[in-house]
Amino acid sequence: MIHYGFELMVRPRKGWQTIAELPDSLIKALSLYPFFLAAFPSLAWYFGTSQIGWTVGNSNVVTRLTEVSAIELSLMFYAAMVLAVVIIGYSIHWMSETYGAESTMTRGIVISALACTPLFVAGTVGLYPLLWLDFFIGIIALAWAVYLLYLGIPIVMKIPQERGFLFSSAIVAIALVMFVCILVVSILLWEFGFAPQFTDQ
């Protein structure tokens, strides 16, 4: 399962062509990919924020989350990642007919999950929560994920490149709206008792 994601990271075009030729039975098995891979950044951020901590500016004071708070936030982070992949996957399936492609819900989720591989991998930098480094790596991972989406949709959906570009652009727009929705929900959850709790150390 993981080797498909790894191939996309190093040989994206060949990786997508391999995925496009997979039988439906293997595509169904790959639908578990986001549930497995999303655990890595969640665990990394749990450990990084509760055990290692971070400093702000030139201060030598290390800030950490309590273990209970880190667990809560990591579980919500995991749920948000999986939900985002599933919604984007559903959007790919839902919009496929508009762009003249044949798809299934499972295929849409697999495309979405595999395109997000760089984000899942980059999420492991949470082991060492250093803001500028995490932000820099996150931007690179996001750019690579968008590139994978633009490259993969026309190959897997077997549609012309020009139509695939429009298709991918529509999916990116949906992903941006979803990102804003996740931010709003996060703020609301913080207001209703899920705000981070810090240690006194």
Side-chain angles (χ1 to χ4, degrees):
M1 185 185 296
I2 292 180
H3 71 277
Y4 292 111
F6 177 76
E7 188 173 25
L8 282 177
M9 297 282 285
V10 294
R11 293 180 298 181
R13 186 174 296 277
K14 187 174 184 304
W16 281 125
Q17 287 168 348
T18 301
I19 291 155
E21 294 165 4
L22 291 176
D24 288 343
S25 58
L26 281 178
I27 290 291
K28 286 179 182 176
L30 271 174
S31 65
L32 298 175
Y33 182 81
F35 296 92
F36 174 70
L37 217 60
F40 289 99
S42 299
L43 291 171
W45 280 98
Y46 162 75
F47 184 82
T49 56
S50 64
Q51 305 301 316
I52 296 175
W54 66 96
T55 57
V56 178
N58 294 324
S59 172
N60 292 324
V61 178
V62 178
T63 304
R64 294 184 186 88
L65 295 178
T66 64
E67 291 201 9
V68 172
S69 181
I71 288 171
E72 289 177 350
L73 293 175
S74 295
L75 288 174
M76 286 190 285
F77 182 38
Y78 176 84
M81 284 187 288
V82 171
L83 187 62
V85 166
V86 169
I87 291 174
I88 292 171
Y90 173 76
S91 301
I92 291 171
H93 167 59
W94 177 64
M95 297 180 74
S96 61
E97 189 176 344
T98 303
Y99 292 93
E102 291 185 8
S103 179
T104 62
M105 177 69 173
T106 305
R107 188 170 290 270
I109 290 172
V110 167
I111 293 171
S112 171
L114 288 169
C116 289
T117 298
L119 296 172
F120 290 134
V121 173
T124 58
V125 298
L127 279 170
Y128 188 68
L130 185 61
L131 182 61
W132 70 267
L133 177 64
D134 298 348
F135 183 76
F136 178 71
I137 292 174
I139 291 295
I140 292 172
L142 181 61
W144 191 249
V146 171
Y147 168 72
L148 287 179
L149 187 69
Y150 274 93
L151 182 65
I153 281 184
I155 293 173
V156 179
M157 293 295 191
K158 299 177 178 158
I159 57 177
Q161 193 74 32
E162 299 77 16
R163 205 181 302 161
F165 180 83
L166 294 174
F167 193 166
S168 302
S169 298
I171 298 302
V172 169
I174 290 171
L176 289 173
V177 171
M178 189 183 317
F179 177 70
V180 173
C181 291
I182 288 172
L183 290 178
V184 171
V185 170
S186 298
I187 292 168
L188 291 174
L189 287 173
W190 284 22
E191 289 294 322
F192 288 100
F194 288 97
Q197 302 295 320
F198 302 99
T199 63
D200 296 328
Q201 300 175 357

